[in-house]
């Protein structure tokens, strides 16, 4: 009988997810296996939608042949609160076994991997492909979408800098990454930005950034770029935004820091027209770069090869530039190592 496997995308969409799905379909066709596309992440597995075709679909190679270079995810994605509960995880496992699926490819970030792990515990062999712009799956040097997101941010900073330079205005640029500063660090390095603020540096201080910006301005740099990872706001040394800004703007007690307030504060502390830019979803909704597309190609093929040979519970990643796989649980256990050297280089001089 023809073997049947399934694939889903979960968590935040990331550039390269479609390329990976297409490659899974191509490899499945080569291996003479049937492929089920699960829609809306884990929601499709738990039968969230009344119409079956909204939960899953048979994927033929023809259907997905042309999706590889499209941004977003053809299969759709979701965050599924229900899937945290054993009852729904069991429902998903029963569903997959019921339709004869012998293995599932999960393309997503660390949350999606935790979900996959739950399915593994319930007897469904899973292979994870890291699909997240955040690059927060520490066992792998990169994840699908990270390179694209950095390229989008680099282009954005270059454009922002043209205006910053023209007007002698420093810029605060907020990038994504959840609790990981990798997008910010790579954006800052690729644009020779003068300051980077990341969630890995707990207790960072507004005054320190202001002092650095003032010294840059004093040395003639009137268009410095301060790249801030979104997760950094949560770990800064407490700063009373209301107390500081109330003489200047309409603010309310307890307002949290964000890029716009940070720029307003730096403007007053440093006497420069600091402007904020938040890059947002353009980081996720771009066609994959060559690097992400190549990884998608390799990962999609490797995932099918593993499942074809009856090997589940694996996470695919990149180590020393090569695509590899390792035990899913061990992959989730790898702890982050902060690149202090890069951080110091960006924030020096
Ligand atoms: P990402 O995969 O990009 O990290 P999320 O953290 O939002 O994205 O996780 C995506 C989904 O994975 C969640 O909405 C949930 O359905 C599932 N998930 C996350 N953590 C767990 C967990 N500990 N147990 C079961 N499912 C989980
Ligand atoms: O995980 C990808 C990511 O874009 C993070 O960088 C960000 O914190 C989060 O997703 C935003 O999620 P949402 O889809 O809810 O906007």
């Amino acid at each position: 009988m023809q073997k049947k496997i399934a694939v889903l995308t979960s968590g935040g969409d990331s550039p390269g997810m479609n390329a990976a799905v297409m490659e899974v379909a191509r490899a499945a066709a080569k291996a003479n296996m049937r492929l089920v596309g699960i829609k809306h992440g884990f929601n499709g597995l738990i039968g969230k939608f009344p119409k079956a075709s909204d939960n899953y679909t048979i994927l033929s190679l023809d259907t997905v042949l042309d999706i590889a270079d499209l941004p977003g995810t053809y299969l759709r994605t979701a965050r599924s609160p229900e899937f945290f509960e054993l009852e729904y995880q069991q429902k998903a496992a029963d569903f997959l076994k019921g339709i004869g699926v012998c293995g599932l490819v999960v393309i997503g970030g660390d949350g999606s991997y935790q979900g996959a792990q739950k399915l593994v515990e319930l007897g469904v062999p899973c292979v994870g492909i890291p699909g997240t712009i955040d690059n927060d799956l520490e066992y792998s040097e990169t994840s699908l979408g990270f390179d694209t997101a950095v390229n989008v941010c680099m282009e954005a900073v270059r454009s922002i800098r043209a205006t910053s330079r023209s007007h002698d205005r420093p810029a605060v640029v907020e990038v994504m990454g959840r609790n990981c500063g990798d997008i910010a660090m790579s954006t800052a390095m690729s644009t020779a930005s003068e300051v980077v603020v990341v969630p890995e540096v707990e207790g960072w201080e507004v005054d320190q950034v202001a002092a650095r910006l003032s010294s840059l301005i004093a040395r003639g740099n009137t268009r410095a770029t301060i790249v801030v990872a979104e997760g950094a706001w949560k770990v800064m040394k407490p700063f009373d935004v209301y107390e500081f800004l109330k003489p200047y703007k309409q603010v309310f007690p307890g307002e949290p820091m964000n890029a716009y307030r940070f720029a307003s504060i730096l403007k007053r502390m440093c006497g420069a027209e600091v402007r904020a830019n938040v890059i947002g979803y353009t980081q996720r909704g771009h066609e994959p770069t060559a690097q992400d597309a190549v990884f998608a190609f390799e990962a999609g093929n490797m995932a099918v090869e593993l499942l074809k040979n009856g090997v589940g519970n694996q996470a695919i990643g990149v180590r020393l530039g090569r695509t590899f796989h390792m035990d899913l649980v061990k992959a989730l256990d790898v702890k982050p190592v902060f690149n202090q050297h890069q951080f110091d280089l960006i924030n020096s001089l």
Side-chain angles (χ1 to χ4, degrees):
M1 209 173 74
Q2 244 186 335
K3 266 191 169 180
K4 198 190 273 176
I5 58 171
V7 60
L8 62 79
T9 56
S10 167
D13 65 311
S14 70
M17 279 182 162
N18 281 332
V21 169
M22 195 282 269
E23 214 44 58
V24 166
R26 196 154 75 154
K30 255 191 300 188
N32 192 29
M33 296 199 293
R34 298 194 77 194
L35 180 64
V36 181
I38 307 294
K39 296 204 183 157
H40 308 280
F42 293 116
N43 279 341
L45 279 186
I46 62 172
K48 175 127 180 166
F49 303 97
K51 242 170 73 190
S53 61
D54 288 333
N55 295 316
Y56 69 100
T57 181
I58 296 295
L59 284 187
S60 74
L61 182 53
D62 281 354
T63 327
V64 291
L65 194 59
D66 287 326
I67 66 169
D69 44 4
L70 298 181
T73 164
Y74 169 84
L75 286 176
R76 305 287 197 269
T77 187
R79 298 206 164 84
S80 171
E82 292 93 334
F83 204 73
F84 284 90
E85 293 168 35
L86 179 60
E87 180 194 342
Y88 286 96
Q89 295 159 6
Q90 187 65 59
K91 194 172 174 188
D94 292 346
F95 164 73
L96 285 169
K97 289 177 195 166
I99 60 166
V101 163
C102 67
L104 173 69
V105 182
V106 172
I107 308 173
D110 62 336
S112 305
Y113 272 35
Q114 309 266 3
Q117 178 51 30
K118 295 292 162 29
L119 289 173
V120 166
E121 285 162 19
L122 295 169
V124 179
C126 291
V127 173
I129 295 180
T132 167
I133 62 166
D134 301 342
N135 203 31
D136 56 354
L137 282 158
E138 303 301 331
Y139 75 93
S140 179
E141 282 160 16
T142 192
S143 53
L144 286 180
F146 172 64
D147 185 61
T148 308
V150 170
N151 274 281
V152 167
C153 293
M154 179 184 75
E155 285 302 325
V157 169
R158 286 175 176 168
S159 304
I160 291 162
R161 188 170 289 150
T163 292
S164 288
R165 187 185 298 117
S166 304
H167 286 265
D168 299 292
R169 289 176 184 163
V172 169
V173 180
E174 184 191 289
V175 302
M176 283 183 156
R178 211 183 307 203
N179 299 318
C180 180
D182 283 14
I183 297 178
M185 294 268 277
S186 291
T187 300
M189 282 187 290
S190 61
T191 56
S193 291
E194 289 80 358
V195 185
V196 68
V197 186
V198 289
E200 287 82 354
V201 180
E202 282 197 36
W204 65 274
E205 293 176 36
V206 172
D207 297 82
Q208 279 172 351
V209 177
R212 176 150 169 71
L213 180 58
S214 293
S215 105
L216 287 160
I217 294 168
R219 278 183 278 137
N221 182 345
T222 52
R223 55 94 185 121
T225 312
I226 299 160
V227 181
V228 186
E230 59 178 359
W233 305 125
K234 278 186 287 188
V235 301
M236 60 185 282
K237 187 176 167 200
F239 183 95
D240 195 332
V241 174
Y242 171 72
E243 253 332 285
F244 186 90
L245 282 179
K246 73 179 176 193
Y248 310 105
K249 305 170 78 97
Q250 192 187 23
V251 275
F252 300 97
E255 277 189 317
M257 186 68 90
N258 63 22
Y260 299 97
R261 294 181 190 130
F262 189 47
S264 280
I265 291 163
L266 291 177
K267 170 176 166 166
R268 272 79 197 194
M269 286 183 166
C270 307
E273 275 302 316
V274 186
R275 294 295 168 91
N277 296 262
V278 177
I279 299 183
Y281 280 170
T282 55
Q283 291 160 92
R284 277 180 18 195
H286 203 276
E287 299 88 3
T289 55
Q291 185 180 311
D292 282 332
V294 168
F295 180 39
F297 179 96
E298 294 220 23
N301 275 287
M302 189 176 272
V304 174
E305 198 59 26
L306 287 166
L307 292 175
K308 185 177 90 182
N309 294 320
V311 185
N313 321 338
Q314 296 290 301
I316 294 173
V318 176
R319 182 187 283 161
L320 298 176
R322 291 290 179 107
T323 306
F324 80 113
H325 59 91
M326 67 181 287
D327 182 85
L328 184 61
V329 180
K330 289 195 179 125
L332 280 169
D333 270 354
V334 179
K335 300 282 171 287
V337 182
F338 180 57
N339 195 330
Q340 186 71 45
H341 173 66
Q342 284 182 352
F343 178 83
D344 291 342
L345 280 179
I346 299 162
N347 290 296
S348 63
L349 191 70

